[in-house]
Amino acid sequence: MTAAEAVAPAVPGIAVTGRLGPRHAEILTAEALAFLAGLHRRFDATRRSLLDARKARQARFDAGEKPDFLAETASIRSGDWRVAPAPADLLDRRVEITGPVDRKMIVNALNSGANVFMADFEDATAPFWANLLDGQVNLKDRWASAIDFVDPANGKTYALKSDPAVLIVRPRGWHLPEAHVLVDGAPMAGALVDFGLYVFHCAKASLAGGSGPYFYLPKLESHREAGLWNDVFASAETELGLPAASIRCTVLIETLPAAFEMDEILFALKDRITGLNCGRWDYIFSFIKTLRAHRDMVLPDRAKVVMGKAFLGNYAELLVRTCHRRGAFAMGGMAAQIPIKNDPTRNAAALAKVEADKEREAREGHDGTWVAHPDLVPVAKAVFDRVMPAANQLGFLPPERPIGQAELLAVHEGTRTEAGLRENIRVGVQYVEAWLRGRGAVPIYNLMEDAATAEISRTQIWQWLHFGATLDDGRQVDEALFRRCLAEEMERVRGEVGAEAYDKGRFPDAIAIFEALILADELEPFLTLPAYRMIA
């Protein structure tokens, strides 16, 4: 039997329905599958109940309620406590690079000069079964000092340098299923598959290498969801014989409900958490989604919804203050610009925008920031080296001022335009099309787009259409305008990418998904859920 024809070992109660490619059997061992099954049996019922709680809370928001701080956890917010000190290799996180888990990206990112590389099984990776297992093979090889390779396409050698970036892994969010792994007939959570396989194969090797099993946790909406992760971590440590609290994490504050529970999330994970991150793009998406029934919360063009102003500026300031008060790192977010190598003038303008964004973050008190491309590492590093000469800014607290419900729900000023509508259409459809072909991080119009930015595009159009929002020229957004713009913009995209590439791509599927999501009476929580059903 060849590697391509290998099948997963028989483990009672667990079925692997996806095909195994080369070396995948190294990941899906009987022992690893048994470990996954144990995670599912112990924690999936709680996960599903927490997803039900999300729906119940959203129903209250749809009925007129707005997010606010929780009365029942006021003692946690007012209490005098701090999180556990960070591991030595996470004390300086001034530049973190993020990207998918393909082999070339991992080597380039680890060699980029960044302090940290976040290997992303979530928004930057389309969850094709082969992508996920190849990613696990690559990460296992990193800790086995076996990730060097020669690219057969160009003959170039990719080899890990002697002082690579610290590795942090981001699993999928609690809401995403993994259709190819069934336990007792039910699909596993993608989060538990990604976490479980990495920690099973790499936790001990990472600790032996002077680091540890470190994770970024996405899409949390409550401290109870953070508490579930804490329980998962503790269980894995016991099951695998790891030192207590050796699994460490950083939580992305990228949903509106989570912004009202930052203290509580830190407290729920206080023995294991090292910081919070301003996940700005998902946060904008969540703002729209959470307040979808509130006409007074309709946003202007995406380009007008910027950091440093309104709800985004207020939440970032609150995050820095909350983290530093508790001894946790406050990580900045991602500037979407990427280098433009064939146009020096526009490239200089893009790098200037990145530099200005990182300057703002450093002066606000963030302990580090994210970039999406190796060429941006020195740009961000130069800013933080100048503004933050020490390893971090844990001793910095922003000037005290009230940041309450009103400040966290303050809407940006600005107009809504047909140009903004059309850009959302082009970006959203092109991203979905690339995702259906297996790509999770996609450069579009010289910006790095991932699932989060595509979510902004489609939810903003849904919001404008749902409320008949008025454009700057006085017209209302309606179905007829959307359909006309969609048809015209797809002709424009066909001209931009070329007729052959367009016709060979998955544009009909992408258009169908995007159109159905926009015209639905109810806002779909995540575009990746219906899209996943087309690839699983």
Side-chain angles (χ1 to χ4, degrees):
M1 180 178 291
T2 66
E5 297 169 330
V7 294
V11 176
I14 190 165
V16 175
T17 63
R19 295 182 60 184
L20 271 59
R23 300 192 60 197
H24 292 172
E26 297 176 31
I27 301 300
L28 296 178
T29 63
E31 296 79 8
L33 290 173
F35 178 70
L36 291 184
L39 292 176
H40 176 89
R41 290 168 180 148
R42 283 190 292 275
F43 299 111
D44 194 61
T46 302
R47 179 188 72 91
R48 286 185 282 108
S49 72
L50 290 173
L51 294 180
D52 288 340
R54 285 186 185 182
K55 294 177 182 177
R57 181 165 59 178
Q58 185 60 54
R60 296 196 300 273
F61 295 152
D62 291 346
E65 190 178 315
K66 289 182 178 178
D68 205 349
F69 296 93
L70 303 177
E72 61 267 29
T73 55
S75 62
I76 294 176
R77 293 194 297 278
S78 63
D80 184 16
W81 53 268
R82 291 171 70 83
V83 303
D89 59 344
L90 289 178
L91 290 174
D92 188 339
R93 302 173 62 172
R94 64 190 59 226
V95 181
E96 299 187 341
I97 188 170
T98 76
V101 290
D102 65 87
R103 202 171 188 88
K104 185 185 298 185
M105 177 69 206
I106 290 173
V107 175
N108 285 341
L110 290 172
N111 288 342
S112 66
N115 302 75
V116 170
F117 167 49
M118 188 197 77
D120 192 13
F121 284 97
E122 200 225 7
D123 279 357
T125 293
F128 282 63
W129 180 235
N131 286 351
L132 300 170
L133 291 184
D134 286 347
Q136 295 286 352
V137 169
N138 295 335
L139 296 179
K140 185 170 182 283
D141 282 350
R142 181 268 174 267
W143 291 116
S145 300
I147 198 169
D148 299 358
F149 74 104
V150 176
D151 187 344
N154 57 21
K156 183 178 177 180
T157 297
Y158 292 83
L160 200 62
K161 294 179 180 178
S162 59
D163 187 23
V166 177
L167 179 62
I168 302 181
V169 173
R170 179 163 70 170
R172 283 168 284 179
W174 281 133
H175 61 287
L176 289 168
E178 178 44 69
H180 301 94
V181 183
L182 307 179
V183 177
D184 304 327
M188 278 196 68
L192 293 179
V193 173
D194 300 337
F195 162 79
L197 291 175
Y198 179 72
V199 79
F200 182 87
H201 289 291
C202 300
K204 291 180 179 178
S206 64
L207 287 164
S211 187
Y214 302 154
F215 295 90
Y216 254 110
L217 304 181
K219 305 289 193 294
L220 298 187
E221 295 195 13
S222 74
H223 68 284
R224 293 174 61 205
E225 295 178 17
L228 176 58
W229 269 118
N230 194 64
D231 293 344
V232 170
F233 292 162
S235 175
E237 288 164 354
T238 300
E239 185 80 10
L240 299 175
L242 303 175
S246 57
I247 299 175
R248 305 302 295 267
C249 67
T250 304
V251 171
L252 288 132
I253 300 299
E254 55 184 353
T255 69
L256 182 60
F260 292 89
E261 299 185 34
M262 287 192 275
D263 272 307
E264 294 89 333
I265 288 170
L266 287 169
F267 189 79
L269 288 157
K270 61 185 174 63
D271 294 331
R272 294 181 173 84
I273 197 165
T274 60
L276 303 177
N277 177 289
C278 283
R280 66 178 77 171
W281 305 112
D282 265 303
Y283 194 76
I284 298 170
F285 155 51
S286 177
F287 189 94
I288 299 170
K289 179 173 67 173
T290 304
L291 300 171
R292 62 194 184 189
H294 296 259
R295 185 179 291 273
D296 58 331
M297 293 290 146
V298 177
L299 297 182
D301 280 1
R302 168 182 159 180
K304 305 287 198 316
V305 184
V306 297
M307 294 301 295
K309 296 183 178 180
F311 70 88
L312 288 176
N314 293 328
Y315 118 94
E317 181 180 333
L318 182 61
L319 185 143
V320 171
R321 182 185 304 148
T322 302
C323 284
H324 288 179
R325 181 185 175 206
R326 305 303 186 185
F329 297 116
M331 302 304 299
M334 179 78 75
Q337 289 78 19
I338 54 177
I340 306 171
K341 296 188 175 181
N342 59 353
D343 189 327
T345 300
R346 293 172 64 206
N347 185 61
L351 296 186
K353 289 180 179 179
V354 174
E355 183 177 9
D357 183 70
K358 304 316 169 190
E359 180 90 20
R360 174 192 55 76
E361 288 182 324
R363 296 198 178 281
E364 286 177 350
H366 292 278
D367 299 289
T369 190
W370 275 16
V371 298
H373 193 283
D375 288 351
L376 299 179
V377 170
V379 177
K381 190 173 187 297
V383 173
F384 272 83
D385 285 351
R386 173 169 45 82
V387 178
M388 188 182 78
N392 52 63
Q393 302 192 82
L394 286 177
F396 172 84
L397 283 175
E400 194 67 35
R401 73 177 181 95
I403 298 179
Q405 183 195 47
E407 287 74 24
L408 291 179
L409 300 181
V411 176
H412 289 70
E413 296 180 354
T415 57
R416 292 172 289 274
T417 67
E418 182 177 329
L421 171 65
R422 289 176 177 272
E423 182 177 9
N424 277 338
I425 291 171
R426 292 196 308 277
V427 169
V429 173
Q430 286 185 87
Y431 179 80
V432 172
E433 191 276 334
W435 194 92
L436 292 172
R437 288 187 289 107
R439 297 178 63 197
V442 187
I444 302 175
Y445 304 123
N446 302 310
L447 299 175
M448 185 59 74
E449 308 284 357
D450 68 6
T453 50
E455 290 282 32
I456 297 172
S457 294
R458 68 98 182 177
T459 53
Q460 185 163 62
I461 297 173
W462 184 94
Q463 184 188 49
W464 290 5
L465 182 60
H466 183 73
F467 284 117
T470 302
L471 300 178
D472 61 342
D473 60 8
R475 287 178 299 155
Q476 283 192 318
V477 178
D478 58 18
E479 183 176 339
L481 177 61
F482 166 69
R483 288 187 181 279
R484 177 170 64 81
C485 290
L486 176 64
E488 292 171 357
E489 292 309 303
M490 289 306 95
E491 282 302 308
R492 172 175 169 174
V493 168
R494 191 171 190 269
E496 291 172 344
V497 305
E500 182 178 2
Y502 187 94
D503 293 341
K504 288 183 177 179
R506 297 198 63 177
F507 281 97
D509 290 334
I511 293 168
I513 291 172
F514 196 76
E515 185 176 46
L517 290 170
I518 298 302
L519 298 178
D521 292 334
E522 297 292 328
L523 183 64
E524 179 74 36
F526 297 95
L527 71 81
T528 47
L529 289 172
Y532 183 65
R533 291 192 284 271
M534 299 189 71
I535 67 170

